[in-house]
Structures are given as C-alpha cells and as structure tokens.
Amino acid sequence: MACRTTFIIAISAALLAAPSARAQGAGEPTGVWQTQAGDARVKVSKCGGGICGVIVGLKDPVDPSTGKPQVDDKNPNPALKTRPMIGLPLFSGMQAVGPNKWSGQIYNADDGGTYASSVSVAGTDTLKVEGCVGALCGGENWTRVGR
C-alpha cells in the first residue's frame, strides 16, 4: 500500500511540474521561426552574450528573373548586393534588456535598411519582432517551426 501511495504522489508531482517546465521554456528564443508573411525562416541562436538571427530558408529561394538563388540585391553597399539571402544575418547587437526581451538592430532585406529593434518571446511558439525608424515603429509575430 505504501508503494502505491508513493507512486501516486510521484506521478502527481510530475504532472504538476510539467506546466511550470513548459512556462520556463516559453522565454527561450532559440530555434527556427517563420516570418509573419511566411516568406522566410530564421534560425535564432545564442551568441556573444545575446542572440543572433540568420535566414535559413526562403519560400522562394530562386530569383525568378535570374534563375539563380536569391541575393541581398537591395543592400545599399555594392559589395554586399551579391551575398546569398540564405545565411544572411538579420540581428546585430541583440542583447538582453529584460526577461524574455532583447534589443539591438535588425536588417530588413526587403529595403536594405538596418533599424533599431526589439525581440520578445510572446509564448512558446510566438516571437514578437519590432523595428523602429525614429518615432515610427512596426512589428510582426513570427511562429516557431517544428519542435
């Protein structure tokens, strides 16, 4: 009888601990995320005491006008216009500024601009990415890919 009671207590404790373990994982930004528009997948990893984000996949990896892999052709720096989009770093200087929140800069390959940005975990499968130009700010939610 004592073994059965101990077993029931152990199972109950495990079940009660499971939600808190998931909640702790909610603040983890690492993994692969799909942009809100679904046009890119970004791998977020820890680096240099902060986080980095690199494009690891594109909805349309081949440029239809050239038949070749997409490149960073909107970059204002001529030396960078031919670098491949896959492998392109998006975050720079992203450092923790609070629980589940990082701040730094983000590169927007759609217009070749770099903007002040913040990234925050908004749930186990949602990453809120925001960027600002002066007082104008915008953002989108990225969705975690796979588990």
Side-chain angles (χ1 to χ4, degrees), residues 121-139:
V121 178
T124 55
D125 294 326
T126 304
L127 190 69
K128 186 166 183 66
V129 180
E130 298 176 295
C132 296
V133 178
L136 298 176
C137 296

Side-chain angles (χ1 to χ4, degrees), residues 44-141:
V44 176
S45 56
K46 294 179 182 177
C47 67
I51 58 172
C52 294
V54 176
I55 295 175
V56 294
L58 296 171
K59 181 179 179 184
D60 299 314
V62 175
D63 183 339
S65 65
T66 65
K68 296 181 179 179
Q70 296 273 4
V71 295
D72 188 20
D73 58 358
K74 298 200 177 52
N75 195 303
N77 181 340
L80 300 177
K81 285 183 176 283
T82 58
R83 67 182 173 170
M85 290 296 286
I86 302 221
L88 185 75
L90 296 183
F91 299 161
S92 58
M94 282 287 176
Q95 299 295 315
V97 293
N100 306 326
K101 187 167 185 175
W102 296 262
S103 184
Q105 294 187 315
I106 191 167
Y107 177 70
N108 181 352
D110 291 336
D111 66 10
T114 300
Y115 304 98
S117 177
S118 67
V119 174
S120 57
V121 178
T124 55
D125 294 326
T126 304
L127 190 69
K128 186 166 183 66
V129 180
E130 298 176 295
C132 296
V133 178
L136 298 176
C137 296
E140 62 181 48
N141 292 325

